[in-house]
Amino acid sequence: MELLHQFSSGLFIIQSIIFLILLFVLGKFAWKPILKSIDERETSIIDALNQAKLAKQEMAQLKEDNERILREARAERDGILKEAREMKDKIVNQAKDSAKVEGEKLIEAARQSIQTEKNAAMADIKTQIGTLSVNIAENILREKLNNDGAHNALVENILNKSNLN
């Protein structure tokens, strides 16, 4: 224990000189490269952090742009669907109107055809009735006019009626 309590001034000076030489050598050869490497590392970390911030901002901008594009696409899709529905409704209504007009034309044509056929049938019936009436009258007159007395009476009757008028 006595060794620890003894102080040697020569040993202290030599150790101090060695320490100073060591500080000088370390300062000249080690500290500058170590500090330079630490500064470079700090600079690269700061650059990496700045690049990460920029990338994060770009990602946020891209996300915002994507959301805007999606909104625009949805709005455009909705507009196209609305326009398609309107066109469908318009086409359906036009088809209904066209079918209604064509139906009315067909009904009117059928009415006219029926009226024409009715008129033709009535004319045919009148002709047949007229022919039948003439045939009946002819047969009746032939029967009555077979004897001379009836023939003379009929002629006188017709002449009397014509004189009256």
Side-chain angles (χ1 to χ4, degrees):
M1 282 237 236
E2 278 186 30
L3 285 173
L4 289 176
H5 288 28
Q6 292 178 353
F7 179 74
S8 166
S9 60
L11 182 62
F12 178 74
I13 292 175
I14 290 177
Q15 286 178 346
S16 294
I17 292 174
I18 291 173
F19 182 73
L20 289 174
I21 291 173
L22 181 64
L23 280 176
F24 175 75
V25 169
L26 284 176
K28 181 138 184 128
F29 296 109
W31 281 342
K32 285 183 183 177
I34 289 173
L35 289 176
K36 183 179 176 186
S37 128
I38 288 174
D39 286 342
E40 288 174 359
R41 179 70 178 152
E42 183 181 359
T43 304
S44 70
I45 289 172
I46 289 173
D47 287 344
L49 288 173
N50 287 337
Q51 288 178 354
K53 284 180 185 177
L54 286 175
K56 185 177 180 182
Q57 289 174 350
E58 287 178 10
M59 288 298 291
Q61 183 65 35
L62 287 174
K63 184 178 178 183
E64 199 175 291
D65 289 345
N66 285 342
E67 289 174 0
R68 180 184 49 79
I69 290 170
L70 279 173
R71 282 191 307 270
E72 289 173 359
R74 286 182 184 126
E76 186 176 342
R77 179 201 64 198
D78 291 344
I80 290 170
L81 287 174
K82 181 181 177 185
E83 186 177 321
R85 279 188 217 106
E86 289 172 356
M87 287 179 74
K88 177 199 71 146
D89 291 342
K90 183 179 177 182
I91 290 170
V92 166
N93 289 336
Q94 285 177 346
K96 283 180 183 178
D97 292 343
S98 177
K100 186 176 180 180
V101 167
E102 287 299 317
E104 288 173 358
K105 284 181 183 178
L106 288 173
I107 290 171
E108 185 59 32
R111 282 185 185 143
Q112 289 178 356
S113 176
I114 290 170
Q115 188 64 36
T116 303
E117 289 179 20
K118 179 181 171 184
N119 291 340
M122 291 297 285
D124 188 41
I125 289 172
K126 286 179 183 178
T127 303
Q128 287 178 6
I129 289 174
T131 304
L132 187 59
S133 296
V134 168
N135 287 340
I136 291 172
E138 198 176 290
N139 286 336
I140 292 173
L141 283 176
R142 222 180 262 140
E143 290 277 327
K144 283 194 171 196
L145 294 179
N146 277 342
N147 69 34
D148 285 334
H151 184 33
N152 287 336
L154 181 62
V155 171
E156 280 183 30
N157 188 12
I158 290 174
L159 287 175
N160 286 337
K161 282 184 182 178
S162 63
N163 285 337
L164 293 175
N165 288 333

